[in-house]
Amino acid sequence: MLSRLTIGERRDQLVECALGLAQRSGMNSVTVRAVAEEAGVSLGVVHYCFANKDELMAAMVERAVTTHLQAFLTIQQTPDDPIEIRTGSAALRTMISDTLASALMLAREHPQRWLVLIESTVVSLRAPDSSGSASAALRQNGLAEQYGLQFLTELGTRSAMTFNGGERDVVRGALQLIYGMIQWWLVDRDDEAATRSLDLLAGWITDRATPVVAVLN
């Protein structure tokens, strides 16, 4: 019945099919029947892999979010650089700027995927409390915050800088600005303006950090 694919592989296939439909025709086009037809499988296969449409949609949105947020976990740094270049405020800002540039590039390459994220948030906010979709926006934001905190922690470790316990506030503020900037870019497609906005954001994040103070024994 599952045509030699494991359940995990089949779930991945169905999620990609759902995401493809959403990117081409919007969230309303994603139904269990449409996903089955897109994947070339029966309705029973979809129901075997996902309990209901809400579960399938949640997996689809998580895939879209994760694809973009992976850019925040690929921090570039040359290991041969002297320690004074790899640490400190200037190093921190460079890593932030490089990562934000990667995030913008990914949005430019996959603008329809960002539209899915925007649309999924609106659908979730409009859903009745009894619907499984009602909590989708919270899950989406929670996943983004989780990636952001992991990113900021890694940056602090690499650059010997600390945000003094304010990581969550910095992450939330930064993500709100990033989401707004990309939504603005989707409207005007002004790469230079978006780059300037990200440069301001890199400066704002860097200004929230201070050097780690070594404890002498």
Side-chain angles (χ1 to χ4, degrees), residues 13-77:
Q13 179 202 25
L14 296 174
V15 167
E16 284 299 324
C17 288
L19 192 52
L21 284 169
Q23 290 176 169
R24 293 198 306 271
S25 307
M27 294 283 286
N28 289 336
S29 69
V30 183
T31 64
V32 172
R33 184 175 299 278
V35 171
E37 292 176 355
E38 182 84 0
V41 300
S42 68
L43 286 172
V45 170
V46 181
H47 287 298
Y48 185 79
C49 295
F50 294 96
N52 49 47
K53 178 184 173 181
D54 285 337
E55 184 179 310
L56 173 59
M57 296 290 278
M60 181 196 74
V61 171
E62 182 173 337
R63 177 70 56 83
V65 172
T66 301
T67 297
H68 287 286
L69 293 177
Q70 284 293 342
F72 289 93
L73 300 182
T74 55
I75 308 165
Q76 301 299 317
Q77 187 180 75

Side-chain angles (χ1 to χ4, degrees), residues 69 72 96 100 103 114 144-145 148-149 151-152 155 163 166-182 197-198 200-202 204-206 208:
L69 293 177
F72 289 93
I96 292 171
L100 292 177
W114 267 100
E145 186 175 313
L149 287 171
F151 168 69
L152 217 58
L155 281 186
F163 292 89
E167 288 84 356
R168 187 168 184 267
D169 290 338
V170 173
V171 165
R172 288 172 65 92
L175 285 171
Q176 290 162 21
L177 290 168
I178 291 168
Y179 277 39
M181 181 279 298
I182 292 179
S197 295
L198 290 180
L200 290 172
L201 176 57
W204 178 82
I205 296 174
T206 303
R208 311 274 79 74

Side-chain angles (χ1 to χ4, degrees), residues 102-113:
S102 297
L104 176 59
M105 181 180 298
L106 193 58
R108 291 171 61 192
E109 292 173 352
H110 303 284
Q112 295 302 320
R113 193 158 292 198

Side-chain angles (χ1 to χ4, degrees), residues 132-170:
S133 300
S135 61
L138 279 174
R139 290 197 302 271
Q140 182 175 322
N141 284 1
L143 185 60
E145 186 175 313
Q146 173 188 328
Y147 269 84
L149 287 171
Q150 187 176 346
F151 168 69
L152 217 58
T153 300
E154 178 66 15
L155 281 186
T157 300
R158 292 197 186 193
S159 63
M161 299 286 286
T162 177
F163 292 89
N164 302 298
E167 288 84 356
R168 187 168 184 267
D169 290 338
V170 173

